[in-house]
Amino acid sequence: MASHIVGYPRMGPKRELKFALESFWDGKSSADDLQKVATDLRCSIWKQMADAGIKYIPSNTFSYYDQVLDTTAMLGAVPERYNYTGAEIGFDIYFSMARGNASVPAMEMTKWFDTNYHFIVPELGPNTKFTYSSHKAVSEYKEAKALGIETVPVLIGPVTYLLLSKPAKGVEKTFSPLSLLGNILPIYKEVTAELKAAGASWIQFDEPTLVMDLESHQLEAFTKAYTELESSLSGLNVLIETYFADVPAEAYKTITALKGISGVGLDLIRGTKTLDLVKSAGFPAGKYLFAGVVDGRNIWANDLASSLSTLQALEAIVGKDKLVVSTSCSLMHTAVDLVNETKLDSEIKSWLAFAAQKVVEVNALAKALAGQKDEAFFSANAAAQSSRKSSPRVTNEEVQKAAAALKGSDHRRVTNVSARLDAQQKKLNLPILPTTTIGSFPQTMDLRRVRREYKANKISEEEYVKAIKEEISKVVKLQEELDIDVLVHGEPERNDMVEYFGEQLSGFAFTVNGWVQSYGSRCVKPPIIYGDVSRPKAMTVFWSKMAQSMTARPMKGMLTGPVTILNWSFVRNDQPRFETCYQIALAIKKEVEDLEAAGIQIHTHMCYSNFNDIIHSIIDMDADVITIENSRSDEKLLSVFREGVKYGAGIGPGVYDIHSPRIPSTEEIADRINKMLAVLETNILWVNPDCGLKTRKYGEVKPALTNMVSAAKLLRTQLASTK
């Protein structure tokens, strides 16, 4: 019985790639240095999977930034502003598209479906020229082959690539990138021809958009694409991989009927209805079913007995030789290796499986299905499953009662937003177009050292508080010098916005090396929610009150919201997610009430999502002020207001992209604000960056914020003169 891994984490067990990337970007190391780190990581991953007995090992899932950007490079679809002149795309063009440079902004970044990974959105138009400009997929296949390891090269499928693209700047918004399908298929033919010539026997096309609610012409594009590719794919086994949700019935019909396709990969963790569909509708004879029964998005050990039962049922449908045991999606969404967690509670650790352990689970299931069951391994797994179900540390009866008692009225605010805003303005007396930032300020090496030493008990609590107080004072003073209207304390006490709160809430556990890539070199260490959640004591009030005492200007409190805490954590899978979310919300509610009593302001912030699709839900949140990412996505958010949606609360669409080192000019920011004023009322508009500033340097933050405040003042003067 064969085994398969959809994809694997790239950063390395100790974030080796992250540090290599940042060293290269800072000019401290060469391209050769970066490439050596990357090669060593790739080779170690392939060897690990080969040693574990995995038959279908993926290649080309490694990336220096993002797999969608890699596809853009492969297709040569570089926006004009980067002055690409042809030939193989190197680091200069590649990282300019990802991060921007001194003269041009980066491409838009948004969420990869409903994960916390972000991808670079392709910008396409009717005049986009496509040329085969990155041979990465072939090079990495050959690299693995030289080690004696046969791999399955992975490509983002042509239809998914186009469906995730957007019209380039200056192109009509009605333009459909899908119309370019015929233009990109020749490049895919070239790539597959080279892979075939190099000796590849399988190729994997990731087409996760098949789980979306697609229109008939979009589904027809899959048929058209793979019919067109059929002759060039002849001689190759072709896997179409889907993940993250159920495949709708019409999409299932489409995918299983595709010509020239050898196998289909299905996510059977989040796709429970897909499993029913396979059982009821059947599966085409002669094709392989890659059954995603090991969760690629969470860190809980697989219930091997349950998965084996599912696989046996599928075996009866598709046949013993056509069933492949797989992960539900790429393992890049989970942590790398549980072996590195030497400080994790032993009982909780027994409940977990990171990427390396999931590889072993996949192979153990494949062997069991082939009649070679490792009884000791299955027995230990059953004992861990039983331990987790019966552990008293998982359940808090008081918390469960509070969540169960919630009524419909508990989800709505008592006073309307206009009354609240009037009362706040009377108290705060803010100017029009008030300026603020999102929360965090740059995290310096000294600041990180202080937190690290405090956690290691190398400095006292008194020394720690003194150091953090000095940092807060510095940040408050800087904001006053910049003449920002509503201040923040800069979050110097926090390494991570979710981890910080999780550490102070019950029901959470934490790793030392459980890092997961968010975008580029940015990694997060998601907390593990293993039990019922409550707030034993106040979490941020001490620091917020301290910051407020340093200034006469309004001070914002910074809380990570319950949905973000939920979605940026590894969430328990033994109860519905909404129940866990309500528990977190009740804990945060207590913190909000304490901050409110201390006179601290609370805003809401959202970034990097398809806001236009959820604008009415955003309105229903009934926040007093929402700051929201806008500039990186080329002001896409504003289009919803142009289309007539009315927003009555305070809103601050971001005026510059903080994920790029580029410093915007006063004129550029003023132009953005004017575009906002064309669709939003002056009295509700705030001026702020896209997101927090922790990943930037003070040498970038100070001039950018100076220009932001200058732009706001310029617009205030212009507005006053027109009255």
Side-chain angles (χ1 to χ4, degrees):
M1 188 59 60
S3 51
H4 167 251
I5 304 297
V6 177
Y8 202 81
R10 308 157 178 161
M11 287 289 114
K14 299 288 180 67
R15 295 181 291 164
E16 291 88 344
L17 182 60
K18 167 190 171 64
F19 298 121
L21 282 166
E22 292 173 355
S23 177
F24 174 70
W25 293 336
D26 289 342
K28 296 176 181 176
S29 61
S30 68
D32 287 345
D33 294 330
L34 174 58
Q35 288 169 332
K36 183 181 185 309
V37 171
T39 299
D40 289 347
L41 280 172
R42 284 194 299 269
C43 293
S44 67
I45 290 167
W46 291 326
K47 287 177 181 176
Q48 177 188 345
M49 285 191 265
D51 290 345
I54 300 299
K55 180 176 181 180
Y56 299 112
I57 297 171
S59 61
N60 198 41
T61 58
F62 178 88
S63 178
Y64 287 103
Y65 207 93
D66 158 52
Q67 71 268 23
V68 180
L69 182 62
D70 291 348
T71 310
T72 294
M74 181 185 83
L75 297 170
V78 181
E80 288 184 7
R81 64 182 178 275
Y82 300 107
N83 297 320
Y84 171 61
T85 56
E88 189 81 1
I89 289 177
F91 283 154
D92 183 42
I93 293 291
Y94 183 84
F95 287 129
S96 290
M97 289 192 287
R99 306 177 72 237
N101 58 42
S103 58
V104 291
M107 295 168 69
E108 180 185 351
M109 181 171 70
T110 196
K111 290 283 185 75
W112 177 244
F113 294 81
D114 62 343
T115 72
N116 290 321
Y117 178 75
H118 301 69
F119 73 95
I120 302 298
V121 181
E123 302 174 12
L124 305 177
N127 298 320
T128 300
K129 300 287 191 296
F130 297 101
T131 56
Y132 187 11
S133 303
S134 171
H135 294 67
K136 175 178 173 292
V138 179
S139 297
E140 289 187 15
Y141 172 78
K142 290 179 177 178
E143 188 176 59
K145 197 173 184 68
L147 297 173
I149 299 172
E150 182 61 31
T151 62
V152 179
V154 179
L155 300 174
I156 298 292
V159 182
T160 286
Y161 177 79
L162 293 175
L163 289 177
L164 295 178
S165 300
K166 71 172 187 177
K169 197 165 187 176
V171 173
E172 287 292 328
K173 298 303 179 186
T174 55
F175 173 75
S176 170
L178 195 57
S179 65
L180 298 172
L181 183 61
N183 299 40
I184 69 171
L185 290 178
I187 312 298
Y188 277 88
K189 290 179 181 179
E190 287 188 69
V191 178
T192 54
E194 282 196 9
L195 287 169
K196 191 159 45 173
S201 58
W202 276 86
I203 186 169
Q204 174 179 320
F205 290 100
D206 281 6
E207 294 280 14
T209 51
L210 279 161
V211 305
M212 300 168 66
D213 293 325
L214 300 177
E215 297 176 11
S216 58
H217 76 280
Q218 294 171 322
L219 286 174
E220 288 166 7
F222 288 95
T223 303
K224 177 182 176 182
Y226 289 96
T227 299
E228 175 70 20
L229 290 172
E230 185 179 4
S231 59
S232 62
L233 294 173
S234 176
L236 283 169
N237 290 294
V238 179
L239 166 63
I240 303 295
E241 185 66 51
T242 69
Y243 37 78
F244 296 151
D246 284 299
V247 175
E250 286 303 311
Y252 183 77
K253 288 180 187 176
T254 298
I255 191 174
T256 52
L258 290 176
K259 295 181 178 179
I261 301 305
S262 310
V264 175
L266 301 173
D267 181 342
L268 301 180
I269 299 295
R270 295 194 171 222
T272 53
K273 293 179 182 176
T274 300
L275 179 59
D276 294 336
L277 197 58
V278 174
K279 291 177 179 178
S280 62
F283 195 77
K287 290 188 178 180
Y288 291 85
L289 171 56
F290 285 68
V293 294
V294 173
D295 194 348
R297 289 187 56 176
N298 217 327
I299 42 68
W300 303 107
N302 189 273
D303 185 337
L304 296 178
S306 176
S307 293
L308 185 58
S309 176
T310 297
L311 290 165
Q312 288 167 338
L314 288 170
E315 187 179 57
I317 299 170
V318 304
K320 199 176 191 71
D321 62 334
K322 296 298 182 182
L323 184 61
V324 180
V325 182
S326 182
T327 54
S328 65
C329 63
S330 172
L331 295 174
M332 67 178 285
H333 306 291
T334 189
V336 179
D337 196 341
L338 196 55
V339 169
N340 297 318
E341 301 305 324
T342 56
K343 297 182 180 180
L344 196 59
D345 176 274
S346 59
E347 182 183 31
I348 294 174
K349 189 174 180 178
S350 73
W351 303 340
L352 308 178
F354 290 0
Q357 288 69 46
K358 289 176 185 292
V359 169
V360 175
E361 289 179 337
V362 167
N363 200 53
L365 285 165
K367 283 186 171 182
L369 204 57
Q372 302 167 18
K373 185 177 180 183
D374 185 335
E375 294 292 351
F377 188 71
F378 270 70
S379 179
N381 175 266
Q385 298 292 325
S386 176
S387 162
R388 185 178 168 211
K389 288 176 182 176
S390 60
S391 176
R393 69 201 308 172
V394 171
T395 305
N396 183 321
E397 192 172 328
E398 183 180 342
V399 170
Q400 292 193 349
K401 284 182 178 178
L406 287 170
K407 307 182 296 294
S409 59
D410 293 322
H411 299 279
R412 294 187 295 274
R413 301 181 72 170
V414 176
T415 55
N416 66 54
V417 65
S418 59
R420 298 196 307 268
L421 293 179
D422 287 345
Q424 290 165 18
Q425 180 58 17
K426 285 177 183 176
K427 180 179 180 180
L428 302 177
N429 193 30
L430 295 171
I432 60 169
L433 307 180
T435 54
T436 190
T437 63
I438 305 306
S440 62
F441 266 66
Q443 301 269 310
T444 64
M445 295 300 291
D446 284 343
L447 185 55
R448 294 178 192 275
R449 175 186 53 76
V450 166
R451 287 199 304 261
R452 192 165 55 246
E453 290 180 351
Y454 179 58
K455 278 198 168 186
N457 294 317
K458 292 182 178 179
I459 61 174
S460 67
E461 183 174 2
E462 183 179 351
E463 290 172 309
Y464 172 72
V465 170
K466 181 174 181 285
I468 297 299
K469 182 177 181 180
E470 288 173 356
E471 184 69 20
I472 291 173
S473 177
K474 182 178 79 173
V475 169
V476 169
K477 184 178 179 182
L478 172 61
Q479 291 171 93
E480 288 184 326
E481 290 172 352
L482 293 170
D483 204 17
I484 291 174
D485 298 302
V486 176
L487 312 189
V488 298
H489 78 273
E491 304 179 11
E493 78 283 15
R494 308 176 197 182
N495 177 58
D496 176 84
M497 65 178 185
V498 176
E499 185 178 23
Y500 175 80
F501 288 97
E503 287 176 338
Q504 301 182 78
L505 294 168
S506 65
F508 283 75
F510 300 89
T511 63
V512 175
N513 289 298
W515 297 99
V516 178
Q517 185 184 19
S518 176
Y519 63 88
S521 69
R522 170 82 168 132
C523 298
V524 294
K525 193 149 54 80
I528 298 166
I529 305 177
Y530 67 84
D532 292 332
V533 178
S534 63
R535 185 195 77 148
K537 61 180 181 180
M539 300 179 287
T540 65
V541 179
F542 173 78
W543 301 113
S544 292
K545 288 174 71 175
M546 176 189 289
Q548 184 64 83
S549 71
M550 298 175 180
T551 181
R553 300 188 183 208
M555 179 65 60
K556 277 199 301 189
M558 275 76 71
L559 300 172
T560 303
V563 176
T564 296
I565 290 177
L566 183 85
N567 286 332
W568 283 82
S569 299
F570 290 126
V571 183
R572 58 189 293 190
N573 59 358
D574 59 345
Q575 70 177 17
R577 286 173 68 90
F578 77 86
E579 291 185 14
T580 303
C581 191
Y582 284 172
Q583 291 178 2
I584 301 169
L586 286 169
I588 296 296
K589 179 175 183 285
K590 292 180 180 178
E591 187 74 10
V592 169
E593 290 168 345
D594 286 348
L595 287 169
E596 184 181 50
I600 304 298
Q601 304 299 303
I602 303 289
H603 288 189
T604 296
H605 174 66
M606 299 180 75
C607 58
Y608 305 107
S609 184
N610 293 316
F611 304 117
N612 296 25
D613 295 341
I614 58 169
I615 188 64
H616 293 290
S617 295
I618 293 173
I619 294 170
D620 288 343
M621 287 171 61
D622 198 18
D624 294 339
V625 179
I626 182 166
T627 53
I628 194 163
E629 179 270 324
N630 171 68
S631 62
R632 176 94 188 218
S633 57
D634 197 25
E635 300 164 345
K636 183 168 60 178
L637 170 70
L638 300 186
S639 66
V640 78
F641 301 116
R642 294 190 190 100
E643 292 162 6
V645 171
K646 299 296 181 184
Y647 194 81
I651 184 168
V655 296
Y656 78 91
D657 174 23
I658 63 87
H659 288 300
S660 170
R662 181 174 171 273
I663 298 164
S665 66
T666 297
E667 293 72 23
E668 181 182 333
I669 294 175
D671 181 59
R672 288 191 184 278
I673 298 171
N674 270 320
K675 290 178 181 177
M676 297 171 193
L677 288 170
V679 293
L680 293 165
E681 297 294 331
T682 307
N683 64 328
I684 67 169
L685 186 61
W686 285 66
V687 177
N688 47 263
D690 263 354
C691 203
L693 305 170
K694 69 184 295 181
T695 60
R696 301 267 55 89
K697 299 172 183 175
Y698 272 105
E700 300 158 349
V701 165
K702 289 179 182 178
L705 290 180
T706 296
N707 293 347
M708 183 187 82
V709 172
S710 296
K713 289 181 176 179
L714 175 66
L715 268 295
R716 288 173 196 162
T717 301
Q718 291 177 358
L719 288 168
S721 67
T722 60
K723 285 186 178 179

